[in-house]
Amino acid sequence: MSTLQALVDAVALGSIYALVAVGIGLVFGVLRLINFAYGELITAGAYTLWVLRSLPAVVAILACFAVVVSLSLLLERVAFRPLRKATPATMLIATFAVSYLLQSIYLLVFGSLGNSVSTLAGLQQAVDLGGLRIRWITIVSLACGSLLLIGTAILLGRTSIGLHMRAAATDFQTARVLGVRANRVIAFAFLVSGVLAASVSVLFTVQNSLVTPDLGVPITIFALVGVVVGGLDRLWTATLGGFAIGFAYSLLGDKLSGEARVYLPSLVFGLVIVVLLLRPGGLFAGQPRSVERV
Amino acid sequence: MPDAMLELEGLEVRYGVVAAVRALDLRIERGELVGLIGPNGAGKSSTLLAIMGVVPVARGEVRLRGVSITGRAPEAIARAGISLVPEGRHIFAGLTVEENLRLGRAARRDANGVEADLRRVYGLFPAIAGSLSRQGSALSGGQQQQLAIARALLARPDVLLLDEPSLGLAPTVVESVFAALEEVRAQGVTILLVEQRAQVTVSTADRTYVLANGELRLSLTPADANDTARLAAAYLS
């Protein structure tokens, strides 16, 4: 029964990492930019929840979404749009710069010691389902993760802006020649990725209430690793990769106990190396990619 | 003097220190079909890309209906009324034919008449009408070219730019593509056609210009279509 419980927890954590992977993948699709500052959006949402902890949860969560989405759009407008014609390396370095800048701001404003978020703390309570003790946050994470992923899929597959985003992700120049507005599509990708980041802020802080300036860094790194493992060229492979990394992290964490848990990240990354050696194109990519580096 | 739909004045396009197009003057009247031919590297595609805003204009001006569009973004130029059928078709292989056509409507200035326009392109290209749910990648080369033209027409452009629409197509398919272009012209669309097939272009277009080394060398009329010596001399000049 313990294994089943671990599986349920793993699926819940996997769905959170899948959301992060989609958030990163959407921006990558239209800009070919891996946004390393994505985790700092999640941290911004977490601090918003902490600052507004005395207000009703609904108000705090709505404010969290407003702050994260606004910050995401602001970064696009102020930091990334002026560099759009720069080399990919310059863009990548810019995301690191933004990431460190935001972390430093969080450090200055909120200090290095963690702040505990209590919004929706009631979701930590467990419910008994056929002998399984499942926390409400696990169920909520699963439900929200699934709904958001389905919503994103519908947005991309059934709407005009979604079609424009898919076209831009395939061949941005041709899409622009056809009249697809670059600024609108890119801003929309940042908007949706902001919504996903805010959702992760809420779900993650319920599971791990301590908010520190570098909260988003490991989340982003693990999700990015998942994106690479899944395959960066398509959104659904990246999503599956994100899910797989969260799933593996949770399951391995369940098997390790006590002091051995400090080796969990090393184990996960070791597993990633094995996967990439066996399938360099990604776990879910169709054709293995052969790239000459030397 | 008739209305000028598209004007190029002293157009210059550069890739670094290399001038691909030099001091090009061109005037296309409303409803005309004008050809642009020349050897590889003559600057034909660069001219179209500069009109469309895909490559920057180093010097000179591009005017649509008398209004300068120089320096505008490609999407703004598309929305102003110019559609490009790019070399190599550039259809979205992973999207369905229907989705490719929907993308063609991105530049429309109004949503009225979409159904009528769809019927019109289905009439021009019946094979497209029967393949709406197929992936773009599942179409033959000729069908992909038809789709690229159909997609451009759904923007309801005033000016249609075509970059080598016959490239890689069988002769019978080329004939059908040129027949469709004549119908499009008959519907009042101004066309600037870049082609390698000199003879068919000269015979179809109202006027054809020969470009070499980025400069305009010669102007031909349909009467010159069978003057192969003149055509060859223009290419080799």
Side-chain angles (χ1 to χ4, degrees), chain B residues 75-145:
Chain B
E75 57 267 40
I77 292 171
R79 286 164 188 269
I82 302 181
S83 281
L84 170 68
V85 179
E87 182 183 353
R89 298 142 203 162
H90 285 259
I91 64 152
F92 294 96
L95 303 182
T96 65
V97 169
E98 193 267 335
E99 285 173 328
N100 269 280
L101 292 175
R102 267 171 60 203
L103 278 168
R105 284 147 50 185
R108 281 182 84 97
R109 286 153 287 180
D110 63 75
N112 298 329
V114 171
E115 289 303 319
D117 287 346
L118 274 171
R119 281 195 297 275
R120 204 170 294 135
V121 297
Y122 292 159
L124 277 174
F125 307 115
I128 298 300
S131 310
L132 293 179
S133 59
R134 293 172 73 192
Q135 295 261 300
S137 57
L139 301 183
S140 67
Q143 288 171 332
Q144 287 189 359
Q145 188 61 66

Side-chain angles (χ1 to χ4, degrees), chain B residues 165-179:
Chain B
S166 73
L167 194 70
L169 301 184
T172 52
V173 182
V174 174
E175 277 177 29
S176 71
V177 167
F178 271 81

